[in-house]
Amino acid sequence: MAYGVKYSCEWTSPMREQRVYTIDILEDGYTGEVYPLYPTGDVLRITQGKIDDPELEPIKSSEAVLSLLCIDEGDPYMSLFTTDPMRYKLRIRQGEGPKKSPYWQGYLVAGTYTQDYARPPYHVQIRATDGLAILKDIPCLDAEGKRYTGMQSLDSIVRDIIARISNEGVVYP
């Protein structure tokens, strides 16, 4: 999986420290022009876990909702609607210049793409999840398709399972 940036914008948070974020939508195998995104309203909302999760839930999934303004004719964001759950990524980085820190990353949930039936400009809302929802449908088996057996560290099992949805390293305390 080699993802290329298809859409991008910078957004400055209006509250507290007014941090600068770079918001990218990446497509698997994409090489080409980077198109602008036009953030609007409640631009970015990231939630972790569910309201009824137990207090000490060890793994909490996260979700991001991105609000955009579509100003171009022809519904350019309709291409984001796909049945492949790993074709598009939403990547949020924090900072300015070459030193941007990763902040959040996940896969677009195409089934939740919403837009107004109106001429441009109109509001578009795009959701993304961190990929844990994709993992729940993948059997947790080793590389040979068998159950994990023998002595293995939890670290090696987690890295093996996460490698099925990402080619990036896993970082956790």
Side-chain angles (χ1 to χ4, degrees):
M1 290 184 219
Y3 287 86
V5 178
K6 186 167 186 175
Y7 298 99
S8 185
C9 72
E10 282 196 350
W11 171 66
T12 303
S13 172
M15 300 182 67
R16 296 186 186 99
E17 298 170 6
Q18 296 187 344
R19 295 182 177 163
V20 176
Y21 296 93
T22 302
I23 302 170
D24 298 319
I25 295 178
L26 298 89
E27 182 178 2
D28 190 15
Y30 180 76
T31 55
E33 185 178 347
V34 177
Y35 300 100
L37 291 172
Y38 302 98
T40 187
D42 188 15
V43 176
L44 184 63
R45 189 174 68 246
I46 297 175
T47 56
Q48 293 183 317
K50 296 177 185 166
I51 198 161
D52 59 346
D53 277 347
E55 184 177 323
L56 299 176
E57 183 76 25
I59 298 175
K60 294 186 179 196
S61 62
S62 61
E63 174 184 84
V65 178
L66 178 63
S67 293
L68 300 171
L69 190 65
C70 183
I71 63 170
D72 299 323
E73 293 284 342
D75 300 326
Y77 299 130
M78 283 301 290
S79 66
L80 301 176
F81 187 80
T82 177
T83 57
D84 183 354
M86 295 171 50
R87 182 171 176 189
Y88 291 100
K89 277 187 182 182
L90 176 64
R91 178 177 67 186
I92 313 297
R93 294 176 293 156
Q94 181 182 347
E96 297 181 71
K99 292 194 173 196
K100 295 178 184 174
S101 304
Y103 186 77
W104 190 89
Q105 181 170 281
Y107 298 96
L108 294 189
V109 180
T112 59
Y113 173 90
T114 61
Q115 75 176 47
D116 297 328
Y117 288 107
R119 287 188 218 138
Y122 55 83
H123 180 254
V124 174
Q125 203 170 44
I126 298 172
R127 289 180 51 210
T129 64
D130 59 10
L132 290 178
I134 297 168
L135 278 178
K136 79 175 177 61
D137 293 330
I138 298 173
C140 294
L141 304 174
D142 65 13
E144 298 170 6
K146 299 178 183 173
R147 294 190 75 146
Y148 289 99
T149 59
M151 295 293 291
Q152 291 190 21
S153 69
L154 182 59
D155 175 69
S156 67
I157 293 172
V158 168
R159 288 181 188 278
D160 181 50
I161 292 170
I162 296 294
R164 297 170 193 199
I165 62 167
S166 177
N167 59 354
E168 297 177 13
V170 178
V171 178
Y172 55 88

